[in-house]
Amino acid sequence: MTFAEVMSGIFEGFRITASVTALGMLYAVPFAFMAGVAQYSTKGWAHAAVTTVIEFWRSSPVIILLYAFYYMLPGFGLRLSGLTVGAMVLGLNIGAYGSQAVRAALQALDRGQAEAGRSLGLRRWQILLLIELPQALLAMMPTFVNQFIQLVKGTALVSLITLADMTFRAKEISQLSYDPVKVYTGLLLAYFVICYPATVVGRWLERRVGAGRKLVHDV
């Protein structure tokens, strides 16, 4: 097979890779915000419970979670599709890491702003939505772009639960062509083509965030 044919075959799995990535983000972003805000806002047993959930998804090996949800849940009468399991596990894993960016961005804000909001009669949730989150959001964005890249690369693991993504297609082509060097070089290039534009966006956002912070500091 020519290298062009190898690349064409690998990109036949792009639809699955893109689907897992998109659905994974639907899990990752809400979970990151809810868990990060909850960890920032709660104390005592509630804080411990939120932290436990975050650490479960952040510390557990993704490959074990994929196998557990895909192969073990049917034994308890719950059968999920490979696409659902892949998106959920990867999304919540990435979301757990993202929650720490949310928490850290909120904690980095000047406490005086929350006190000013309370002096104006705003409730705690109003201070969070109207004052804290809008300022913290810009600081979170570069991290979320990086987490998106990690999610795209993580989709390579869904080939282990029979999803025909790009990595799965590369394995098939390698078995047919007996040329793993060419095939996996092509797979590496395929992921680079997908992830590099996001990397460029992430660097641009980092520069914008840095410029914004410098402007505020100068003022």
Side-chain angles (χ1 to χ4, degrees):
M1 299 179 68
T2 66
F3 189 74
E5 291 173 331
V6 169
M7 291 298 294
S8 177
I10 289 173
F11 272 103
E12 287 178 6
F14 175 74
R15 183 180 63 83
I16 295 296
T17 296
S19 297
V20 174
T21 301
L23 293 174
M25 289 299 290
L26 294 180
Y27 283 97
V29 175
F31 181 68
F33 274 97
M34 289 189 294
V37 169
Q39 194 176 36
Y40 167 72
S41 304
T42 56
K43 296 180 180 180
W45 66 267
H47 180 83
V50 172
T51 301
T52 299
V53 173
I54 292 172
E55 291 305 319
F56 169 78
W57 287 106
R58 194 167 71 135
S59 303
S60 300
V62 172
I63 189 170
I64 295 177
L65 292 174
L66 287 171
Y67 276 119
F69 279 90
Y70 188 71
Y71 292 108
M72 293 174 60
L73 286 183
F76 297 93
L78 180 60
R79 186 177 298 276
L80 300 176
S81 69
L83 186 63
T84 300
V85 170
M88 179 180 68
V89 169
L90 290 172
L92 293 179
N93 174 260
I94 292 298
Y97 283 98
S99 70
Q100 300 310 288
V102 174
R103 176 191 55 78
L106 290 170
Q107 288 180 338
L109 295 175
D110 186 351
R111 293 288 183 178
Q113 298 187 50
E115 294 174 2
R118 284 193 292 270
S119 69
L120 293 174
L122 297 178
R123 297 185 178 182
R124 185 66 188 91
W125 66 270
Q126 291 175 312
I127 294 172
L128 182 66
L129 290 178
L130 300 177
I131 298 176
E132 294 178 320
L133 275 177
Q135 296 181 74
L137 185 61
L138 186 60
M140 301 174 199
M141 289 306 296
T143 300
F144 273 101
V145 173
N146 290 333
Q147 295 301 319
F148 169 79
I149 295 171
Q150 293 298 322
L151 178 58
V152 174
K153 293 188 293 185
T155 59
L157 293 174
V158 302
S159 62
L160 300 174
I161 53 174
T162 70
L163 288 180
D165 70 318
M166 294 196 304
T167 302
F168 187 91
R169 289 290 300 135
K171 290 178 181 178
E172 288 185 327
I173 296 169
S174 179
Q175 291 169 355
L176 292 173
S177 67
Y178 303 104
D179 192 353
V181 174
K182 180 189 293 182
V183 173
Y184 287 103
T185 299
L187 182 62
L188 178 64
L189 179 60
Y191 278 107
F192 176 79
V193 168
I194 296 171
C195 293
Y196 184 69
T199 302
V200 173
V201 172
R203 290 173 179 169
W204 178 79
L205 285 172
E206 287 177 0
R207 290 195 296 270
R208 289 295 300 270
V209 170
R213 288 175 176 171
K214 183 177 184 300
L215 178 61
V216 170
H217 178 75
D218 292 342
V219 172

